[in-house]
Coordinates of all heavy atoms in Angstrom, one line a residue:
S42 N 7.6 91.7 204.6 CA 7.3 93.1 204.3 C 8.3 93.6 203.2 O 7.9 94.3 202.3 CB 7.6 93.9 205.6 OG 7.4 95.3 205.3
N43 N 9.6 93.3 203.3 CA 10.6 93.7 202.2 C 10.2 93.0 200.9 O 10.3 93.7 199.9 CB 11.9 93.3 202.7 CG 12.4 94.2 203.9 OD1 11.9 95.3 204.1 ND2 13.3 93.6 204.7
L44 N 9.9 91.8 200.9 CA 9.5 91.1 199.7 C 8.3 91.7 199.0 O 8.4 92.0 197.8 CB 9.2 89.6 200.0 CG 8.8 88.7 198.8 CD1 9.4 87.3 199.0 CD2 7.3 88.7 198.7
M45 N 7.2 92.0 199.7 CA 6.1 92.6 199.1 C 6.4 94.0 198.6 O 5.9 94.4 197.5 CB 4.9 92.6 200.1 CG 4.5 91.2 200.5 SD 3.9 90.2 199.1 CE 2.4 91.1 198.6
R46 N 7.2 94.8 199.3 CA 7.5 96.1 199.0 C 8.2 96.1 197.6 O 7.9 96.8 196.6 CB 8.4 96.8 200.0 CG 8.8 98.2 199.6 CD 10.0 98.7 200.4 NE 11.1 97.9 200.1 CZ 12.0 97.4 201.1 NH1 11.8 97.7 202.3 NH2 13.0 96.6 200.7
D47 N 9.2 95.2 197.5 CA 10.0 95.1 196.2 C 9.1 94.6 195.1 O 9.3 95.1 194.0 CB 11.2 94.2 196.4 CG 12.4 94.8 197.2 OD1 12.1 95.9 197.8 OD2 13.5 94.2 197.2
M48 N 8.3 93.6 195.4 CA 7.4 93.1 194.3 C 6.5 94.2 193.8 O 6.4 94.4 192.6 CB 6.6 91.9 194.8 CG 7.4 90.6 194.8 SD 6.3 89.3 195.4 CE 5.0 89.3 194.2
Q49 N 5.9 95.0 194.7 CA 4.9 96.0 194.3 C 5.6 97.1 193.5 O 5.2 97.5 192.5 CB 4.2 96.6 195.5 CG 3.2 97.6 195.2 CD 2.5 98.2 196.4 OE1 3.0 98.0 197.5 NE2 1.5 99.0 196.2
G50 N 6.7 97.5 194.0 CA 7.4 98.6 193.4 C 8.0 98.2 192.0 O 7.9 98.9 191.1
G51 N 8.5 97.0 191.9 CA 9.0 96.5 190.7 C 8.0 96.3 189.6 O 8.1 96.6 188.5
Y52 N 6.8 95.8 190.1 CA 5.7 95.6 189.2 C 5.1 96.9 188.7 O 4.8 97.1 187.5 CB 4.6 94.7 189.7 CG 3.8 94.1 188.7 CD1 4.2 93.1 187.8 CD2 2.4 94.5 188.5 CE1 3.4 92.6 186.8 CE2 1.6 93.9 187.5 CZ 2.2 93.0 186.7 OH 1.4 92.5 185.7
S53 N 5.0 97.9 189.5 CA 4.6 99.2 189.2 C 5.5 99.9 188.2 O 5.0 100.4 187.1 CB 4.5 100.2 190.4 OG 3.5 99.7 191.3
R54 N 6.8 99.8 188.3 CA 7.8 100.3 187.4 C 7.7 99.5 186.0 O 7.7 100.2 185.0 CB 9.2 100.2 187.9 CG 9.4 101.2 189.0 CD 10.9 101.3 189.4 NE 11.4 100.1 190.1 CZ 11.2 99.7 191.3 NH1 10.5 100.6 192.2 NH2 11.6 98.6 191.8
Y55 N 7.5 98.2 186.1 CA 7.3 97.5 184.9 C 6.1 97.9 184.1 O 6.2 98.1 182.9 CB 7.1 96.0 185.2 CG 6.6 95.1 184.1 CD1 7.3 94.8 183.0 CD2 5.3 94.7 184.3 CE1 6.7 94.0 182.0 CE2 4.6 93.9 183.3 CZ 5.3 93.6 182.1 OH 4.8 92.8 181.2
L56 N 5.0 98.1 184.8 CA 3.7 98.5 184.1 C 3.9 100.0 183.5 O 3.4 100.2 182.4 CB 2.5 98.5 185.0 CG 2.0 97.1 185.4 CD1 0.9 97.2 186.4 CD2 1.6 96.3 184.2
N57 N 4.5 100.8 184.3 CA 4.7 102.2 183.8 C 5.6 102.2 182.5 O 5.4 103.0 181.6 CB 5.4 103.0 184.9 CG 4.4 103.4 185.9 OD1 3.2 103.4 185.8 ND2 4.9 103.7 187.1
R58 N 6.7 101.4 182.5 CA 7.5 101.3 181.3 C 6.7 100.7 180.1 O 6.8 101.2 179.0 CB 8.7 100.5 181.6 CG 9.9 101.2 182.3 CD 11.1 100.4 182.3 NE 11.0 99.0 182.7 CZ 11.1 98.6 184.0 NH1 11.4 99.5 184.9 NH2 10.9 97.4 184.3
R59 N 6.0 99.7 180.4 CA 5.3 99.0 179.3 C 4.2 99.8 178.7 O 4.0 99.8 177.5 CB 4.7 97.7 179.9 CG 3.9 97.0 178.8 CD 3.4 95.6 179.4 NE 2.6 95.0 178.3 CZ 2.1 93.8 178.3 NH1 2.3 93.1 179.4 NH2 1.5 93.3 177.4
Y60 N 3.5 100.6 179.5 CA 2.4 101.4 179.0 C 2.8 102.9 178.9 O 1.9 103.8 178.7 CB 1.2 101.2 179.8 CG 0.7 99.8 179.7 CD1 0.9 98.9 180.8 CD2 0.1 99.3 178.5 CE1 0.5 97.6 180.7 CE2 -0.3 98.0 178.4 CZ -0.1 97.1 179.5 OH -0.5 95.8 179.3
H61 N 4.1 103.2 179.0 CA 4.6 104.6 178.9 C 3.9 105.6 179.7 O 3.6 106.7 179.3 CB 4.5 105.0 177.4 CG 5.1 104.1 176.5 ND1 6.4 103.9 176.3 CD2 4.5 103.2 175.6 CE1 6.6 102.9 175.4 NE2 5.5 102.5 175.0
H62 N 3.7 105.2 181.0 CA 3.1 106.2 182.0 C 4.2 107.0 182.5 O 5.3 106.5 182.8 CB 2.4 105.5 183.1 CG 1.1 104.8 182.6 ND1 0.4 103.9 183.4 CD2 0.5 104.8 181.4 CE1 -0.6 103.5 182.8 NE2 -0.6 104.0 181.6
R63 N 3.9 108.3 182.8 CA 4.9 109.1 183.4 C 4.6 109.3 184.8 O 3.5 109.0 185.2 CB 5.0 110.5 182.7 CG 3.7 111.2 182.7 CD 3.9 112.5 182.0 NE 2.7 113.3 182.1 CZ 1.9 113.6 181.1 NH1 2.1 113.3 179.9 NH2 0.8 114.3 181.4
H64 N 5.5 109.9 185.5 CA 5.3 110.1 187.0 C 4.0 110.9 187.2 O 3.7 111.8 186.5 CB 6.5 110.8 187.5 CG 6.6 110.8 189.0 ND1 5.9 111.7 189.7 CD2 7.2 110.0 189.9 CE1 6.1 111.6 191.0 NE2 7.0 110.5 191.1
W65 N 3.4 110.6 188.3 CA 2.1 111.3 188.6 C 2.2 112.8 188.8 O 1.3 113.6 188.7 CB 1.3 110.6 189.7 CG 2.1 110.7 191.1 CD1 3.0 109.9 191.5 CD2 1.8 111.7 192.1 NE1 3.4 110.3 192.7 CE2 2.7 111.3 193.1 CE3 0.9 112.7 192.2 CZ2 2.7 112.1 194.3 CZ3 0.9 113.5 193.4 CH2 1.8 113.1 194.4
L66 N 3.4 113.2 189.2 CA 3.7 114.6 189.4 C 4.1 115.3 188.1 O 4.3 116.5 188.1 CB 4.8 114.9 190.4 CG 4.4 114.5 191.9 CD1 5.6 114.7 192.8 CD2 3.2 115.4 192.3
A67 N 4.2 114.6 186.9 CA 4.7 115.2 185.8 C 3.6 116.1 185.1 O 2.4 115.7 185.1 CB 5.1 114.2 184.8
G68 N 4.0 117.2 184.6 CA 3.2 118.1 183.8 C 3.0 117.6 182.4 O 3.4 116.5 182.1
E69 N 2.3 118.4 181.6 CA 2.1 118.0 180.2 C 3.3 117.7 179.4 O 3.3 116.8 178.6 CB 1.2 119.1 179.5 CG -0.1 119.3 180.2 CD -1.2 119.6 179.3 OE1 -1.0 119.5 178.1 OE2 -2.3 119.9 179.8
N70 N 4.4 118.4 179.6 CA 5.6 118.1 178.9 C 6.6 117.1 179.6 O 7.7 116.9 179.2 CB 6.3 119.5 178.6 CG 6.8 120.1 179.8 OD1 6.5 119.7 181.0 ND2 7.5 121.2 179.7
G71 N 6.1 116.5 180.7 CA 6.9 115.6 181.4 C 7.6 116.2 182.6 O 8.2 115.5 183.4
A72 N 7.7 117.6 182.6 CA 8.5 118.2 183.7 C 7.7 118.2 185.0 O 6.4 118.3 184.9 CB 8.8 119.6 183.2
P73 N 8.3 118.2 186.1 CA 7.6 118.2 187.4 C 6.7 119.5 187.5 O 7.2 120.6 187.1 CB 8.6 118.2 188.4 CG 9.9 117.8 187.7 CD 9.7 118.1 186.3
R74 N 5.6 119.3 188.0 CA 4.7 120.5 188.4 C 5.1 120.9 189.8 O 4.7 120.3 190.7 CB 3.2 120.2 188.3 CG 2.8 119.8 186.9 CD 1.4 119.5 186.8 NE 1.1 118.4 187.7 CZ -0.1 117.7 187.8 NH1 -1.0 118.0 187.0 NH2 -0.3 116.7 188.6
H75 N 5.8 121.9 189.9 CA 6.4 122.4 191.2 C 5.4 122.7 192.3 O 5.6 122.4 193.4 CB 7.4 123.5 191.0 CG 8.5 123.2 190.2 ND1 9.6 122.4 190.7 CD2 8.9 123.5 189.0 CE1 10.5 122.2 189.7 NE2 10.1 122.9 188.7
E76 N 4.3 123.2 191.9 CA 3.2 123.5 192.9 C 2.6 122.2 193.5 O 2.2 122.2 194.6 CB 2.1 124.3 192.2 CG 1.3 123.6 191.2 CD 1.8 123.7 189.8 OE1 3.0 124.1 189.6 OE2 1.2 123.2 188.8
D77 N 2.8 121.1 192.8 CA 2.3 119.8 193.3 C 3.4 119.1 194.1 O 3.0 118.1 194.9 CB 1.9 118.8 192.2 CG 0.6 119.3 191.4 OD1 -0.1 120.1 192.0 OD2 0.4 118.9 190.3
C78 N 4.6 119.6 194.0 CA 5.7 118.9 194.7 C 6.0 119.4 196.1 O 6.8 118.8 196.8 CB 7.0 119.0 193.9 SG 6.9 118.2 192.2
E79 N 5.4 120.6 196.4 CA 5.7 121.2 197.7 C 5.4 120.2 198.8 O 4.3 119.6 198.9 CB 4.9 122.4 197.9 CG 5.5 123.7 197.2 CD 4.7 124.9 197.6 OE1 4.4 125.0 198.8 OE2 4.5 125.7 196.7
G80 N 6.4 120.0 199.7 CA 6.2 119.2 200.8 C 6.5 117.7 200.6 O 6.5 116.9 201.4
I81 N 6.7 117.3 199.3 CA 6.9 116.0 198.9 C 8.4 115.8 198.6 O 9.0 114.8 199.0 CB 6.1 115.5 197.7 CG1 4.6 115.6 198.1 CG2 6.4 114.1 197.2 CD1 3.7 115.3 196.9
I82 N 9.0 116.7 197.9 CA 10.4 116.6 197.5 C 11.2 117.6 198.2 O 10.7 118.6 198.7 CB 10.6 116.6 196.0 CG1 10.0 117.8 195.4 CG2 10.0 115.4 195.3 CD1 10.3 118.0 193.9

Side-chain angles (χ1 to χ4, degrees):
S42 176
N43 291 333
L44 177 143
M45 294 302 292
R46 181 199 60 223
D47 284 11
M48 281 182 58
Q49 180 182 13
Y52 199 69
S53 293
R54 287 188 296 278
Y55 161 76
L56 289 176
N57 287 338
R58 279 191 310 269
R59 180 172 178 177
Y60 296 106
H61 307 290
H62 290 170
R63 60 178 187 247
H64 192 277
W65 65 277
L66 289 176
E69 298 216 8
N70 64 356
R74 296 182 299 191
H75 294 287
E76 66 275 6
D77 293 337
C78 297
E79 278 187 42
I81 296 175
I82 56 173

